[in-house]
Amino acid sequence: MLTFFISSCKNKLENENIFPDVKNVTALKNTDFVPTLESSFQIENNNIYAATIPLTWNEIRTEIGTTLTHFSSKQLKEINSTKSYLDVLKENAYDISAEVDGTEVNAKAIFRKSLPFDQPLTKFSKPLTFGNSKVESFGFWGNCEFAKINYYTNENEFSISLFPKDKEHEIILIMDKRREKSFKNHIQNYYQRKELQKNKRIHFNTNDKVEIPILEFNLEKSFDHIIDSTFKSNDTTYTMLEAYQRNAFILNENGAEVESVVEVAADATEELTTQHPKMMLFNKPFVILLKRKDAKNPYFGIYIFNEELLKKV
């Protein structure tokens, strides 16, 4: 029997201290990680996704070189079958390696991205109420040159994008009263809503307000449903010894910082005007997606249901 091992590079990274201290996700009652965009999650939890797990697994498959079958873990089978990580990042954007050493396959991956804004947005002095908590927030009144409305139906159903200095990336925020059980479903809804309003150009008006909770976390997790599970390559059985991931993220008035470590033209448009200011307040469950503009899928996603990941006053 061969063993399979995914491990994290646990050395301190340069400037790592910008993130909070690492905390195991189990220390939070209502927050979890999901390994793929398709993975189902509990809508009463915050959920975090990073493409580093499927990227690492793809490197494993390449190293083994044969078709992998007979997965004893549903999560591992899901990771093996997903295609949603393809082309989400350029190859030079992350470090990944896998090697076979006797009876073990070792793999690790790390991704880190800084997405500062050209200039800081407004840090609001009055707290935002999210659930039962007062949290710190940022945003802007009126127009913002590095933000746009993707679609707007009402104050419970809208999406905006924030654009950092790195013009290849965008930060998508989605407010949707529907509680979908996977990031894939949220993304499908996003594209459907955007398509419905593709001929309506919706602008920020003078009295509009965008207010976003400040997020900051540095969380790690061992995927217990994967550890000790098995899979096969031809007649060889592999056993998972460890499956570990750490995700760190900051979003505030200065921009976004994300880190994930794994041990495994002109056209005819209709202008839409509204009769009252749009209050686009992210004060109830919402989704954040970090995505390359030229990619269909995000490389990082957060579903916020409760205030555990928000910066409290």
Side-chain angles (χ1 to χ4, degrees), residues 166-178:
D166 188 334
K167 303 307 179 185
E168 293 183 341
H169 296 253
E170 63 179 321
I171 303 166
I172 302 171
L173 295 101
I174 304 168
M175 175 67 73
D176 194 336
K177 60 186 178 183
R178 291 186 291 186

Side-chain angles (χ1 to χ4, degrees), residues 149-168:
I149 300 173
N150 297 314
Y151 58 81
Y152 181 87
T153 304
N154 53 52
E155 292 175 1
N156 293 308
E157 194 174 279
F158 60 88
S159 172
I160 68 167
S161 282
L162 302 176
F163 301 106
K165 285 182 181 180
D166 188 334
K167 303 307 179 185
E168 293 183 341

Side-chain angles (χ1 to χ4, degrees), residues 59-272:
E59 193 76 6
I60 300 290
R61 283 187 302 212
T62 301
E63 187 67 21
I64 293 175
T66 56
T67 302
L68 307 182
T69 60
H70 295 82
F71 298 93
S72 66
S73 161
K74 179 181 177 182
Q75 279 194 335
L76 203 56
K77 184 177 181 180
E78 200 169 51
I79 294 167
N80 187 66
S81 64
T82 184
K83 303 294 183 184
S84 58
Y85 69 95
L86 295 172
D87 302 319
V88 298
L89 289 168
K90 292 183 177 179
E91 287 188 4
N92 62 2
Y94 54 90
D95 292 321
I96 189 167
S97 64
E99 62 180 44
V100 177
D101 182 12
T103 60
E104 292 187 353
V105 179
N106 298 303
K108 61 184 178 182
I110 182 168
F111 165 75
R112 186 169 187 171
K113 185 65 180 177
S114 182
L115 298 171
F117 300 133
D118 281 317
Q119 52 186 303
L121 297 178
T122 299
K123 170 78 179 298
F124 292 118
S125 57
K126 183 179 178 180
L128 176 69
T129 300
F130 192 103
N132 297 320
S133 297
K134 300 290 185 182
V135 301
E136 296 186 27
S137 64
F138 72 99
F140 56 89
W141 286 95
N143 193 28
C144 176
E145 61 181 303
F146 42 96
K148 77 169 185 178
I149 300 173
N150 297 314
Y151 58 81
Y152 181 87
T153 304
N154 53 52
E155 292 175 1
N156 293 308
E157 194 174 279
F158 60 88
S159 172
I160 68 167
S161 282
L162 302 176
F163 301 106
K165 285 182 181 180
D166 188 334
K167 303 307 179 185
E168 293 183 341
H169 296 253
E170 63 179 321
I171 303 166
I172 302 171
L173 295 101
I174 304 168
M175 175 67 73
D176 194 336
K177 60 186 178 183
R178 291 186 291 186
R179 303 287 178 256
E180 299 292 354
K181 294 184 177 181
S182 73
F183 282 104
K184 180 180 179 180
N185 289 345
H186 280 289
I187 294 165
Q188 289 175 337
N189 288 343
Y190 166 77
Y191 282 120
Q192 288 171 2
R193 300 285 175 84
K194 196 174 178 183
E195 178 68 16
L196 287 173
Q197 293 194 14
K198 67 179 181 179
N199 293 323
K200 298 178 181 180
R201 185 161 293 165
I202 308 171
H203 299 289
F204 291 111
N205 298 321
T206 303
N207 295 319
D208 291 351
K209 184 182 184 182
V210 171
E211 187 169 7
I212 304 163
I214 291 177
L215 283 85
E216 53 179 43
F217 59 82
N218 190 356
L219 299 171
E220 63 182 1
K221 174 179 178 173
S222 288
F223 286 82
D224 294 339
H225 292 295
I226 293 178
I227 296 170
D228 293 330
S229 66
T230 61
F231 65 94
K232 283 189 175 183
S233 171
N234 294 330
D235 294 329
T236 302
T237 298
Y238 294 78
T239 301
M240 298 290 290
L241 295 183
E242 182 177 349
Y244 169 95
Q245 185 179 46
R246 179 171 63 81
N247 291 318
F249 183 74
I250 293 173
L251 179 64
N252 59 28
E253 68 274 14
N254 297 308
E257 190 89 19
V258 60
E259 178 177 274
S260 183
V261 179
V262 170
E263 290 186 42
V264 213
D267 58 357
T269 60
E270 174 190 349
E271 188 149 329
L272 180 70

Side-chain angles (χ1 to χ4, degrees), residues 24-40:
N24 195 294
V25 72
T26 57
L28 303 179
K29 294 182 179 179
N30 299 295
T31 298
D32 204 357
F33 291 2
V34 290
T36 73
L37 288 177
E38 295 84 1
S39 301
S40 296

